[in-house]
Amino acid sequence: MKIAFFPQCMIDMFYPEVGEAAVRVLERLGCELIVPKNQVCCGQPLMNAGYVEEALPAIRSIVDAYAPYDVVVTPSGSCAYAIKCDYEKYLGADPEYGPKIKELAGKIYEFTEFIVDYLGVTNVGAKLDGKVTLHKSCHMTRLLGVKEPPLQLLENVEGLEYVEMEAADRCCGFGGVFSVKEPEISEQMVREKAELALATGADYLVGCDQACLMNIKGCLDRMEAEGVLPHPMKVMHIAEVLDSGKEA
């Protein structure tokens, strides 16, 4: 089947290996992917910072770029929520874009949600030896409501042992511009998240939102530099886990 892929800015600009992993997984599941040439940032950072008017051109661009496609998939629960839920708040009453936004909201899926709930697949044939714990990011878990698909996929990865961390759905402190405006509070929050993850004894910390993962990895790196990291922990997007044990 043919689907449109929304890569998410952070993945597109800084972590292309995550996007490539997601694409490989989806292609092995029989999907043909298209990235519209005119796709841009979804506008979430501007919306979260209160710059709604400034975000409107980005919102319109995303709607125009993805409106022609029947299914849209993104490896970012945060962006999926912004497009599915936030757009209607600001342009839902617009006579031109309101109907398009409503239609788009019904056909955009977070990566794991698409695989499990749309394709009906819980085992993609991945293999990863080691203990894994999952950070359940705020937008994806509490707002978008996607809770079980990541766990179902991880449970079927050969060699993987899943261990739940305490307060797995507690915010990591990134929060977009929150981490910039309130760095001291953000640092305490991510330190707590890192310590809870490390307490599981897991080899890998996995998540579905790259911004959270970047934040947590930064904290782990700082802990290592301080000489207080109790044991190594690799940070991975779930797309990389599902792509593991497979040839490119």
Side-chain angles (χ1 to χ4, degrees), residues 59-222:
I59 293 175
R60 293 189 182 97
S61 293
I62 286 294
V63 174
D64 290 338
Y66 287 94
Y69 303 98
D70 294 329
V71 180
V72 182
V73 178
T74 176
S76 169
S78 181
C79 292
Y81 176 79
I83 296 171
K84 182 181 285 288
C85 302
D86 284 341
Y87 281 15
E88 190 169 1
K89 298 176 187 175
Y90 305 120
L91 276 179
D94 184 276
E96 178 183 359
Y97 280 90
K100 294 180 182 179
I101 287 170
K102 186 175 182 179
E103 183 180 359
L104 179 58
K107 59 186 181 181
I108 184 165
Y109 295 85
E110 182 274 331
F111 175 69
T112 64
E113 176 191 26
F114 174 74
I115 294 173
V116 174
D117 294 343
Y118 191 97
L119 295 181
V121 175
T122 56
N123 189 337
V124 301
K127 179 179 180 180
L128 181 69
D129 293 323
K131 290 184 179 181
V132 168
T133 193
L134 178 70
H135 165 58
K136 302 176 181 180
S137 51
C138 298
H139 279 84
M140 179 163 161
T141 303
R142 289 196 290 265
L143 299 180
L144 194 61
V146 178
K147 300 178 181 179
E148 295 302 319
L151 295 171
Q152 291 174 285
L153 290 164
L154 290 175
E155 287 169 359
N156 286 290
V157 174
E158 183 182 347
L160 186 152
E161 178 185 350
Y162 177 74
V163 54
E164 181 96 353
M165 80 170 85
E166 182 184 347
D169 63 350
R170 189 172 295 169
C171 181
C172 74
F174 182 72
V177 294
F178 173 79
S179 60
V180 177
K181 289 186 174 182
E182 304 287 350
E184 294 84 3
I185 299 174
S186 176
E187 171 61 25
Q188 293 303 310
M189 293 173 70
V190 73
R191 187 71 169 232
E192 177 190 60
K193 173 63 66 172
E195 290 173 348
L196 290 172
L198 288 163
T200 66
D203 306 297
Y204 302 91
L205 182 139
V206 175
C208 301
D209 276 295
Q210 191 59 44
C212 298
L213 297 176
M214 178 186 71
N215 191 38
I216 298 168
K217 185 181 185 304
C219 183
L220 292 171
D221 289 345
R222 291 190 294 275

Side-chain angles (χ1 to χ4, degrees), residues 14-75:
F14 302 110
Y15 299 93
E17 66 277 8
V18 172
E20 291 165 1
V23 167
R24 285 192 293 267
V25 170
L26 293 172
E27 286 181 340
R28 284 196 292 269
L29 293 175
C31 300
E32 179 185 348
L33 277 71
I34 296 171
V35 178
K37 291 183 178 179
N38 54 334
Q39 71 90 23
V40 295
C41 174
C42 70
Q44 182 182 186
L46 287 169
M47 289 186 284
N48 287 350
Y51 295 102
V52 175
E53 288 298 322
E54 289 81 357
L56 294 181
I59 293 175
R60 293 189 182 97
S61 293
I62 286 294
V63 174
D64 290 338
Y66 287 94
Y69 303 98
D70 294 329
V71 180
V72 182
V73 178
T74 176

